[in-house]
Amino acid sequence: MYATATGSSVSMFSSRNVSNAYRQIDVQTGVNGASDHQLISMLFNGYFQSIGQARVAMQNGNIGEKCAAITKCVRIVDEGLKASLDLKQGGELAQQLNDLYEYVTRRLTQANLRNDVDALDECVRLLSPIREAWDAVAPGHNDAPRAAMEIRA
């Protein structure tokens, strides 16, 4: 049996986990009525926006804003993206994403502690392809990218 990241067949994302994880990180805009796919997209948007805010704050020496922005990034990754994975149903792909999210969380923490813009840039490089793939498998898009995301469950 095949599983896709979009929810057809068995999914590596639990619908309940996605909704709960998103709400736990205090992001309110557009949550009501959003699909699971849209919620994950919103998490990615918040992540990249917060990375940008952290970079600017870091460059301006604003420690409070830098800490707040990086903390938000960590929460989005850990309590949002990572928590939305269904490791039982998602197989190897879900486990690899889980491991990637753990690594990104560590690098964000290091970036915060060391004022390391390069670590922020690494975190952007690591999650950009995941975001692009997620956008490519959005409901209503061409089925070819979606087929590329299929995994054996």
Side-chain angles (χ1 to χ4, degrees):
M1 171 175 265
Y2 287 94
T4 66
T6 60
S8 61
S9 187
V10 179
S11 177
M12 71 175 160
F13 297 96
S14 163
S15 180
R16 192 181 82 221
N17 287 353
V18 172
S19 296
N20 289 341
Y22 195 86
R23 285 178 180 88
Q24 286 177 357
I25 59 165
D26 300 326
V27 181
Q28 301 300 319
T29 308
V31 172
N32 294 336
S35 70
D36 291 346
H37 193 277
Q38 291 168 324
L39 291 173
I40 297 295
S41 293
M42 293 166 73
L43 287 169
F44 279 121
N45 291 343
Y47 169 81
F48 286 105
Q49 181 181 17
S50 294
I51 287 273
Q53 292 169 348
R55 180 181 290 113
V56 169
M58 196 178 285
Q59 292 168 341
N60 292 335
N62 189 327
I63 295 170
E65 284 183 27
K66 174 201 71 165
C67 290
I70 291 177
T71 297
K72 185 173 181 179
C73 289
V74 167
R75 292 189 71 198
I76 288 170
V77 173
D78 198 46
E79 297 174 29
L81 296 171
K82 184 177 164 190
S84 68
L85 294 172
D86 186 335
L87 297 174
K88 292 178 183 174
Q89 297 295 320
E92 185 178 344
L93 179 56
Q95 185 58 56
Q96 289 174 350
L97 285 171
N98 186 69
D99 294 346
L100 175 64
Y101 295 154
E102 284 182 14
Y103 177 77
V104 167
T105 299
R106 277 195 308 272
R107 290 298 287 150
L108 288 168
T109 301
Q110 291 169 349
N112 195 17
L113 293 171
R114 300 175 184 158
N115 288 317
D116 188 350
V117 175
D118 291 335
L120 292 179
D121 292 340
E122 178 185 6
C123 292
V124 167
R125 284 191 308 274
L126 288 170
L127 291 192
S128 289
I130 307 303
R131 178 192 202 180
E132 291 167 10
W134 187 255
D135 289 344
V137 299
H141 278 81
N142 181 349
D143 286 338
R146 186 173 297 121
M149 291 289 290
E150 289 186 342
I151 61 170
R152 286 193 179 261

